[in-house]
Amino acid sequence: MNTVTTTFRELGVLPEICDALERAGITTPFAIQEMTLSVALVGTDLIGQARTGTGKTLAFGIPVLQRSVSPKDPAYADMPQGKPQALIVAPTRELALQVSNDLHLASKDVGLRVLTVYGGVGYDGQLDALESGVDIVVGTPGRLIDLMNRRALDLSHVHALVLDEADEMLDLGFLPDVERLLAQTPETRQTMLFSATMPAAIVALARTHMRHPMNIRAESSYENATVPATAQFIYLAHDLDKPEIIGRILQADDAEKMIVFTRTKRQSQRIADDLAERGFAAAPLHGDMAQIAREKALARFREDKLKVLVCTDVAARGIDVRGVSHVVNYTCPEDDKTYVHRIGRTGRAGATGTAITLVDWPDIARWKMINKTLDLPFPDPAETYSTSEHLFHDQGIPAGTKGRIVEAAPVERKPREERGGRDNRGSDKPAAERPARNRSRTRNGAPVADAAAGAPAVTSAAVEGDKPAASRNRRRRTRSGGGSAPAASTSES
């Protein structure tokens, strides 16, 4: 039976956009794109529910581009000059940058000006761009509110508004900011909301701010929204052995690029440093890094200059990088939703991938809850070490592989004198340079007789011996604590 393949051109996408996509090798739409475009291109409000990595960006990006007027179009003269025509709100900087990159790719022949705004960088470039005029703004809620408060961002002429990863914005506490942004846009705008899940707060937001939205669901249910093309492995592993396990997985037959998820920023930095010391091209990605450092790490990862990116959950939201063969949960995810988002970084856009979760003994109960919620077949993870045969078999690791590709640097111990430490006698100087001990006095300060003259040394015992016996006894306090008790008599009366 012949399968009929639909193209973007057949769905009514502008030839200029199709040409730009075809130059990038994109000709056939994914399911969410095919289901969405026919509705969105005519201006209908819609709610799209689909997991990450299924092509949501072009599903809303193409309608936003196609329904905007380019400065090259004669009709642009009748519009407010330089005011944004569309607004796309994303929860994180990385997701905003990913959306902007896809829009730039698709709009190369259209001539629309796309601006990305987010926190962590200076305002000057963003303010200058807004003053010069932009057509589409992609940004995070916090920076968008800041620019709006500065009266630099005018949303009164927006014809299309997109909320991408709305459930993530809810989790990050951005819902009040989103509602403030919505209030500044015209009621007649087209609103598109995309979310992997539909919690009650998102449903209420849709009812309040959308007009008869069309519901489009690319998955049967969120509970089964794990990527089918992703092989999942759950191992019970000891924390101290995990870097060695990851080092060996990185040398598996099908290992390309890997994302490692950690629970804390400090853990992200530590593991990235450990893997780099083992010889792997690794870098961290967490919130304590400067924005320029985060962008540089992502760029190097995309360009295959890095093999491993070690991320926290917040920093990794929105990462869309092709060629990620493995995702490793260094620690058990907090819940089923986090698990789905994490492993969604691999197996993207129809590719296959491997997701590995390393569960600690204290997290077994949490994993069992995730396993039950997602209806996965891994209730009892196998106890696994870097030397376990089933690890080598599961991951296709060649026999004899070790968790490092460079020898560990030997620890060079310097002599005590070079280390600058104190010697046994409390001196900072080498023994040869220390002066001879002063023997002119005893420990209690009494003078010592000249040994060369043959006089016996005066000892503390001798000094004490010159005193009466009664005065040699120690002073003792009375029970009342005042004065000294009389010395005990040594003779019988």
Side-chain angles (χ1 to χ4, degrees), residues 182-205:
L182 285 164
Q184 298 300 314
T185 59
E187 290 187 7
T188 56
R189 69 182 182 273
Q190 178 189 21
T191 306
M192 291 181 277
L193 185 152
F194 286 81
S195 183
T197 62
M198 296 302 293
I202 299 299
V203 174
L205 182 76

Side-chain angles (χ1 to χ4, degrees), residues 87-90 139-149 153 155-156 158 161 163 169 174-186 189 209:
L87 174 66
I88 301 172
V89 187
T140 54
R143 181 52 64 95
L144 289 169
I145 292 290
D146 289 345
L147 293 171
M148 193 175 69
N149 291 338
L153 179 62
L155 302 178
S156 60
V158 167
L161 186 144
L163 303 179
M169 283 191 270
F174 286 138
L175 203 56
D177 289 344
V178 169
E179 291 182 328
R180 285 186 63 190
L181 292 168
L182 285 164
Q184 298 300 314
T185 59
R189 69 182 182 273
H209 297 283

